[in-house]
Every structure is written in C-alpha cells, then in structure tokens.
Amino acid sequence: MVHVLSGRILLRPVDPERSRDFYGGRLGLAVAREFGTGPERGTVYFLGGGFLELSGRSDTPASPDSSSARLWLQVEDVAAAHEELTAKGVEIARPPVREPWGLIEMWITDPDGTPIVLVEIPPEHPLRFRPGI
C-alpha cells in the first residue's frame, strides 16, 4: 500500500489571473505559496488535506466531457456556501440537492469549465461513521 502524505491537483488555466480571482477571491481558498513572477506565476491553494496548483497556461480549456479534472470539495454547510458564492457572482450550475445516496451536493464550474462539486456530508451519513470511535 502506498502511503499518500498529501495530494495535489494541477490545473493549467487559459487565463491564470481570472482563475486566481475565482479560486482565491470568489471561493476564498487560502494561498499556500506562490512561485515565479507576474501574471503567469504559479499559485498553490490549500484544499483541506491537499492542494490545488494553478501553474502555466493552456491554449484551450479542458473539455468538460473529457477525462480532465473534476474537483470534489467538502464543505461544512452547502446552503451557506450557496448563499456566499451567489453573492460573489459565482454561477451556480445546480443548487444544493440532497442526493439519493444521502450527500448534499451543489455544482459550479471554474472559469475554464472545470466541474466542481461542493459536498456536505450530513451527520447521519455513513461516510461519517467510524466503527469503534
């Protein structure tokens, strides 16, 4: 078994400044570090137990229908996230819905069309169950 100490998602946005505004300004992700200089600089954001790195530039956005990245971000309160992101002008692809599998999910996309699912795990959900604790 491989022991993963940390995970990282790497995105190469079409417009790095627009993506920094989205992830840092609108989603409110905290910056872990930056490297390089100017508008093309790399920015690494904290994602709970992992990181999201915006680095380099792509000529075209990744196709949402391809096997490109999809982000799954767990939040404490999806309804509060919906209210906050709507106030910041983030387009909501699908408002919060309790799924048949018990999770509460809301869907958004980043400026390049990368799908992002914000997920709330209710207290009674099996994902929160830890035998013996």
Side-chain angles (χ1 to χ4, degrees):
M1 173 193 263
V2 175
H3 284 267
V4 177
L5 299 177
S6 177
R8 177 168 299 180
I9 296 166
L10 173 63
L11 297 179
R12 299 209 185 277
V14 172
D15 182 341
E17 201 59 49
R18 181 181 68 175
S19 291
R20 272 191 289 278
D21 175 64
F22 178 79
Y23 285 104
R26 294 178 186 226
L27 290 188
L29 299 181
V31 174
R33 68 183 179 89
E34 291 189 297
F35 54 92
T37 59
E40 302 282 327
R41 72 189 179 282
T43 306
V44 180
Y45 295 97
F46 286 107
L47 282 182
F51 299 95
L52 170 68
E53 180 177 330
L54 301 178
S55 180
R57 180 184 287 269
S58 176
D59 292 332
T60 59
S63 165
D65 297 327
S66 72
S67 60
S68 64
R70 282 151 175 73
L71 301 179
W72 192 87
L73 304 176
Q74 184 179 339
V75 298
E76 289 184 41
D77 185 338
V78 169
H82 178 264
E83 186 176 311
E84 178 182 340
L85 295 176
T86 300
K88 290 182 176 181
V90 173
E91 185 177 336
I92 308 299
R94 197 190 78 180
V97 171
R98 184 178 290 265
E99 299 291 356
W101 46 90
L103 300 177
I104 303 167
E105 298 183 3
M106 176 176 74
W107 301 347
I108 62 176
T109 57
D110 81 355
D112 288 335
T114 301
I116 301 171
V117 181
L118 297 176
V119 179
E120 177 183 336
I121 302 173
E124 72 280 1
H125 195 278
L127 284 175
R128 290 201 183 227
F129 177 69
R130 295 175 67 192
I133 295 179

